[in-house]
Amino acid sequence: PVPAIPDMSLGLLRALAGPALAVAALAAIESLLSARVAASLPRPDSGPGRAADSEVARTRRYDPDRELVGQGLASLASGLFGGLPATGAIARTAVSVRAGARTRLAAVTHSLVILGVIYLATGPVSRIPMAALAGVLMVTATRMVSVRTIKGVLRSTRTDALVLVVTAAVTIAVDLIEAVQVGIVVAAFFALRSVAKATVVHREPLPGPAEPGDEHIALYTLDGSMFFGAAERIGSEIASDQQARVVVLRLSRLRVVDATGAHALTELVAGLERQGIVVLIKGIQARHLTLFTNVGVLDELRHDAHLFDSLEPALAHARDHVRGEHDSPQGELARAAG
């Protein structure tokens, strides 16, 4: 058909938004996989001094951004002609590379050949039996499945094997689009679970020589990511310490903090302060300071002087609290001045 902008309406956009995102994700994944496979495929080497059938198996570089931009432009152009979204095809790319393709001219030649078949050879092509075309498709589909890769995934981890099996089952039983969506959701679930398990909070011994009252000081290091999947567990572990009179929280190793994690930390500090436990915070990273300030973590501290950049002053301050220096009138005056 002649190129034309399709008729669009709000209802049609709503109906097509989900499938369009799934197709876009599938097309991007397939195109990048095609580029990655093509970059690592051995190519016939016609250079001097080598046999004609020798192969050079070295990985070549490719630009993922360029691949996706080209694929997106091709899909837009295809839509103007009523065509399907375009992706890089693993099967035809592999055939092209193994045939000796080295430049983009191979793709242009392939397009011109297809165009010539459509306009000049529709009669002979229409006489090809469907069974023969079905056989070609079966061979193509079989070549796209890497048995070695499947075996490797199944032997790697239970999580990866489960994602593969679920995605393959949905592909066969339902549809490829739904399979991509289900696979992404399942993979995201297990990824969040792994990140939550990797987030740990552990009590550390106080550095340096022991001093009287150190048993009432709890030094906790939060390591990993504090987000909705791990915030509750971290808070409950710290709040369960019944012996501490001063809790020092080391936050310098926190890599990721979301709003839920910051809110959980706010509730933790507020709960400890309500129990009469002094909370000192050490090592808030600059990128997390704005979030902690907006959520109210710092407002729950008993005093502004309970925020520290290094551990030594924080421990000295904690020992002062344990010795009762900050409970005396002189301590109150010093704290107000500081």
Side-chain angles (χ1 to χ4, degrees), residues 282-300:
K282 176 264 172 186
I284 295 182
Q285 299 184 35
R287 54 179 175 160
H288 300 152
L289 183 59
T290 302
L291 175 60
F292 285 152
T293 303
N294 294 338
V295 174
V297 176
L298 307 185
D299 295 336
E300 297 297 337

Side-chain angles (χ1 to χ4, degrees), residues 224-248:
S225 304
M226 192 162 186
F227 68 112
F228 66 92
E232 187 66 28
R233 176 173 57 84
I234 291 175
S236 61
E237 288 185 21
I238 297 177
S240 61
D241 194 336
Q242 302 295 327
Q243 191 180 8
R245 290 167 49 190
V246 179
V247 171
V248 182

Side-chain angles (χ1 to χ4, degrees), residues 308-332:
F308 299 87
D309 292 329
S310 57
L311 185 59
E312 289 77 10
L315 292 180
H317 200 88
R319 287 178 173 129
D320 288 344
H321 272 284
V322 171
R323 287 193 295 263
E325 295 181 10
H326 283 264
D327 295 333
S328 63
Q330 294 81 2
E332 291 293 338

